[in-house]
């Protein structure tokens, strides 16, 4: 299960803390050293960990904790508050445009779950009354077009494709077709690569500049930890993404990506993928995630 190691470690730290009764400043310091280690072992970004520990420590050595009758509870609450803030505090929804259609540009490395999540989003928004159109802009692998058609059929959403043509032209034509057919949500499945590379970034930039997407959502694999965060930083620097979809949270991911990506990029996680099935998508709520991690 995701975050198991981190949850177990933090729970053990807090259990020892609860057994102590009244706390001194030195006790808090010791606890925060343990929290710091647990975060680093969970692959949380070094600077994020450092800032987090500093923020919690500053609040925890205040008189309301040290003089409280339940100091351990107070410390745990502060950790939870700061962890929620770290992940962005609030759920950030997808913005819909007044001018139809709303255009979502999905990007990410190969294998991150991009195509699957295009279909998951189509299903999610279809169930809210939208009329999505999926668009095959990943033209380099014929299998990618086929895969989008298969998942499109599974969720009952049309798929626009023009074979292995120019992805910018495909996106433009798809938007014209959406206008003609009254599809109010266009989801562009763009090409992925094994690594961030210049050619990919140039292509994504051209699509962005031509169609002016309302949202650019980056799909990253939570299992890859800090790599996911570095990928998010690289994409954001080039494309100014509007949010992240963190996938494979059903696996035994350690937590580093979930806890670091917002702080490193400044961009919110909007959804999480929690399984291979096309209904296994959840809107991301920082407070619920913090509760899950802290058990
Ligand atoms: P793409 O190359 O980025 O388009 O990735 P795909 O959508 O083809 O997904 C790659 C693999 O990850 C597939 O086997 C998916 O079934 C799987 N996958 C995608 N999302 C999730 C998820 O949230 N959880 C799990 N366990 N597997 C996922």
């Amino acid at each position: 299960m995701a975050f198991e190691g981190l949850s177990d470690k933090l729970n053990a730290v807090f259990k020892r803390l609860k057994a102590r009764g009244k706390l001194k400043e030195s006790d808090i310091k010791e606890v925060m050293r343990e929290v710091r280690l647990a975060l680093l072992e969970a692959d949380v970004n070094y600077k994020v960990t450092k800032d987090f520990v500093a923020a919690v420590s500053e609040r925890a050595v205040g008189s309301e904790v040290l003089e409280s009758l339940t100091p351990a509870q107070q410390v745990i609450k502060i950790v939870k508050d700061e962890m929620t803030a770290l992940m962005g505090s609030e759920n950030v929804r997808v913005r819909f445009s007044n001018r139809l259609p709303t255009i979502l540009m999905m990007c990410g490395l190969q294998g991150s779950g991009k195509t699957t999540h295009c279909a998951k989003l189509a299903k999610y928004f279809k169930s809210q009354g939208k009329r999505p159109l999926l668009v095959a802009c990943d033209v380099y692998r014929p299998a990618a077009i086929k895969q989008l058609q298969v998942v499109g059929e599974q969720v009952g959403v049309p798929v626009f494709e023009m074979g292995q043509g120019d992805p910018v032209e495909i996106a433009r034509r798809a938007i014209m077709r959406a206008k003609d057919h009254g599809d109010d949500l266009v989801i562009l499945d763009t090409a992925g690569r094994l690594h961030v590379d210049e050619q990919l970034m140039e292509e994504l930039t051209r699509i962005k500049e031509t169609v002016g997407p309302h949202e650019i959502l980056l799909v990253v694999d939570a299992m890859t930890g800090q790599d996911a965060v570095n990928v998010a930083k690289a994409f954001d620097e080039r494309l100014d993404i509007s949010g992240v979809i963190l996938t494979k949270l059903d696996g035994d991911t350690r937590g580093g990506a979930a806890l670091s990506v917002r702080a490193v990029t400044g961009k919110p996680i909007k959804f999480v993928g929690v399984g291979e099935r096309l209904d296994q998508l959840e809107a991301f709520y920082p407070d619920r995630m913090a509760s899950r991690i802290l058990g």
Side-chain angles (χ1 to χ4, degrees):
M1 208 195 93
F3 315 125
E4 205 166 29
L6 179 59
S7 287
D8 288 352
K9 281 201 192 91
L10 292 177
N11 278 322
V13 172
F14 294 145
K15 199 168 164 202
R16 285 201 296 279
L17 191 68
K18 280 184 199 153
R20 265 196 211 164
K22 223 161 159 52
L23 298 180
K24 297 194 296 292
E25 203 171 317
S26 59
D27 296 325
I28 306 248
K29 273 215 172 110
E30 192 188 319
V31 161
M32 290 318 296
R33 248 197 315 271
E34 290 171 345
V35 168
R36 177 173 173 278
L37 269 181
L39 291 171
L40 290 175
E41 276 172 33
D43 204 20
V44 178
N45 173 281
Y46 181 79
K47 183 167 185 304
V48 170
T49 299
K50 195 166 162 236
D51 293 347
F52 176 82
V53 166
V56 173
S57 301
E58 192 178 321
R59 284 179 63 191
V61 296
S63 56
E64 72 267 38
V65 173
L66 298 179
E67 284 159 27
S68 152
L69 293 174
T70 54
Q73 296 298 348
Q74 305 275 348
V75 172
I76 296 167
K77 183 175 180 307
I78 294 170
V79 168
K80 182 167 180 226
D81 286 354
E82 291 293 330
M83 202 176 258
T84 303
L86 189 61
M87 291 185 284
S89 299
E90 305 270 313
N91 168 255
V92 183
R93 299 162 71 115
V94 164
R95 273 169 294 147
F96 286 96
S97 161
N98 293 328
R99 273 190 62 202
L100 299 180
T102 296
I103 302 163
L104 301 189
M105 178 172 161
M106 303 282 283
C107 46
L109 296 184
Q110 207 169 302
S112 60
K114 183 168 43 60
T115 303
T116 308
H117 283 76
C118 286
K120 285 185 182 181
L121 282 183
K123 181 177 170 64
Y124 181 90
F125 289 120
K126 188 182 169 197
S127 75
Q128 296 183 1
K130 301 281 178 206
R131 291 190 50 174
L133 175 68
L134 287 162
V135 185
C137 293
D138 181 357
V139 297
Y140 303 102
R141 294 178 308 134
I145 303 173
K146 180 74 193 152
Q147 186 192 350
L148 191 67
Q149 286 172 324
V150 169
V151 289
E153 193 163 327
Q154 280 170 13
V155 298
V157 169
V159 173
F160 183 89
E161 58 99 5
M162 287 169 57
Q164 299 185 279
D166 171 21
V168 176
E169 186 58 19
I170 296 172
R172 243 173 34 80
R173 294 272 193 96
I175 292 160
M176 275 158 44
R177 126 114 212 191
K179 284 181 182 155
D180 286 347
H181 287 69
D183 305 321
D184 52 16
L185 176 64
V186 170
I187 302 174
L188 306 175
D189 185 18
T190 63
R193 297 272 157 83
L194 288 175
H195 304 283
V196 175
D197 73 36
E198 187 51 32
Q199 228 184 345
L200 174 65
M201 289 302 173
E202 270 169 21
E203 176 173 312
L204 295 174
T205 304
R206 275 201 306 133
I207 297 177
K208 174 184 172 176
E209 283 170 357
T210 308
V211 308
H214 301 93
E215 293 257 0
I216 302 179
L217 297 178
L218 176 69
V219 179
V220 293
D221 177 347
M223 299 292 286
T224 63
Q226 281 316 289
D227 277 348
V229 178
N230 294 334
V231 165
K233 196 158 178 259
F235 272 78
D236 188 46
E237 279 164 8
R238 286 299 294 272
L239 292 168
D240 188 18
I241 63 173
S242 56
V244 170
I245 300 182
L246 193 60
T247 66
K248 308 188 194 180
L249 271 194
D250 50 309
D252 59 354
T253 169
R254 285 182 289 166
L259 286 168
S260 318
V261 80
R262 164 76 200 225
V264 170
T265 63
K267 300 299 164 66
I269 298 172
K270 294 202 170 183
F271 291 94
V272 291
V274 292
E276 290 188 87
R277 280 203 337 257
L278 297 176
D279 60 353
Q280 290 177 313
L281 179 77
E282 292 173 8
F284 181 73
Y285 288 87
D287 54 341
R288 291 183 204 166
M289 188 59 75
S291 298
R292 200 167 133 187
I293 292 171
L294 295 173

